[in-house]
């Protein structure tokens, strides 16, 4: 089986984890947390590190500010333990600040882990549930507007036809269609190739109340 780049990476990760685990134990033991308590500190740091990294790797578009904060904090704790055991700090006589930081870490790690869990749960609940897709309804048939009727053409009658329809003399129709002594005509005269004509509707309106034979 051919080795891959991932194999040495796993070896490096195992070495870093083992050394960091041991250094965190040594720092906690030097700060007054002896016995089984000293072994809990590296477990706490690594758990917070893994929780924050897992939330950062979720590619769902959520903000990762809180996850990055706790990730960097746990990395700083691990890196600080590595540096402290290198002789930079006198672990035989640890400072009060180191003792306070070690003593406060369990509560701080629990607080950070709780925030990561609850923020993830809250964000999941805020996501709107996608409604089930409903089948597309049949598109309603568009009503085709009926063509608008144009103005009706007038029914034109000769003077004689209009006179018979209105029951008046032909001269009466002719006089109504022509101006009399400067007065405008009461019927509109339409000139056609067959002679003058008048509108039937105008005749009805003008002579509706006239008795037959007037």
């Amino acid at each position: 089986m051919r080795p891959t780049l991932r194999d040495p990476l796993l070896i490096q990760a195992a070495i870093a984890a083992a050394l960091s685990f041991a250094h965190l134990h040594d720092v906690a033991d030097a700060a007054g947390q002896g016995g089984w308590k000293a072994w809990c500190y590296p477990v706490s740091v690594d758990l917070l590190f893994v929780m924050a990294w897992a939330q950062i790797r979720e590619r769902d578009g959520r903000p990762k500010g809180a996850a990055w904060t706790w990730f960097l904090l746990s990395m700083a704790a691990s890196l600080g333990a590595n540096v402290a055991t290198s002789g930079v700090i006198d672990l035989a006589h640890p400072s009060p600040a180191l003792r306070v930081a070690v003593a406060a870490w369990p509560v701080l790690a629990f607080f950070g882990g709780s925030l990561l869990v609850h923020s993830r749960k809250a964000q999941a609940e805020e996501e709107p549930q996608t409604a089930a897709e409903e089948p597309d309804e049949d598109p309603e048939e568009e009503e085709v507007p009926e063509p608008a009727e144009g103005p009706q053409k007038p029914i034109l009658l000769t003077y004689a036809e209009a006179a018979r329809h209105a029951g008046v003399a032909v001269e009466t129709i002719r006089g109504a269609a022509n101006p009399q002594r400067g007065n405008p005509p009461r019927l509109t005269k339409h000139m056609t190739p067959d002679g003058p004509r008048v509108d039937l509707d105008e005749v009805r309106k003008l002579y509706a109340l006239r008795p037959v034979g007037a």
Side-chain angles (χ1 to χ4, degrees):
M1 188 173 181
R2 294 178 57 186
T4 62
L5 291 176
R6 191 173 183 180
D7 297 333
L9 179 61
L10 293 176
I11 297 174
Q12 291 282 13
I15 294 173
L19 292 176
S20 179
F21 196 91
H23 293 160
L24 285 166
H25 168 270
D26 295 342
V27 170
D29 184 62
Q33 307 294 329
W36 63 270
K37 294 181 291 184
W39 293 107
C40 293
Y41 279 85
V43 176
S44 175
V45 172
D46 290 345
L47 284 178
L48 184 61
F49 182 89
V50 172
M51 291 175 63
W53 178 245
Q55 188 160 333
I56 291 172
R57 284 180 56 85
E58 291 180 356
R59 300 178 181 178
D60 52 7
R62 299 173 184 172
K64 301 295 191 303
W68 274 109
T69 299
W70 295 108
F71 174 80
L72 295 176
L73 183 62
S74 58
M75 180 177 288
S78 178
L79 182 60
N82 295 338
V83 174
T85 55
S86 66
V88 176
I89 298 177
D90 185 7
L91 294 181
H93 304 88
S95 63
L98 179 61
R99 292 177 180 272
V100 171
V102 171
W105 173 259
V107 177
L108 185 63
F110 176 76
F111 178 72
S114 300
L115 288 181
L116 290 175
V117 172
H118 288 292
S119 63
R120 181 179 180 182
K121 183 178 178 181
Q123 290 172 354
E125 291 177 353
E126 290 176 0
E127 292 180 352
Q129 297 180 353
T130 55
E133 295 184 358
E134 299 180 357
D136 296 337
E137 297 180 357
D138 295 336
E140 297 182 358
E141 295 182 359
E142 298 182 357
E143 296 182 359
V144 179
E146 297 181 357
E149 296 182 358
Q152 295 182 353
K153 294 182 178 181
I155 300 176
L156 301 180
L157 304 176
T158 61
Y159 289 165
E161 292 171 343
R164 287 195 302 269
H165 186 79
V168 297
V170 176
E171 289 75 11
T172 302
I173 298 296
R174 183 180 290 108
N178 292 278
Q180 300 291 330
R181 297 178 182 178
N183 295 324
R186 292 177 293 170
L187 293 175
T188 303
K189 182 169 63 174
H190 299 269
M191 297 304 299
T192 68
D194 298 328
R197 298 287 190 273
V198 291
D199 188 350
L200 174 60
D201 289 337
E202 292 184 0
V203 173
R204 289 174 178 172
K205 292 177 182 179
L206 182 61
Y207 298 104
L209 300 177
R210 295 293 182 88
V212 177

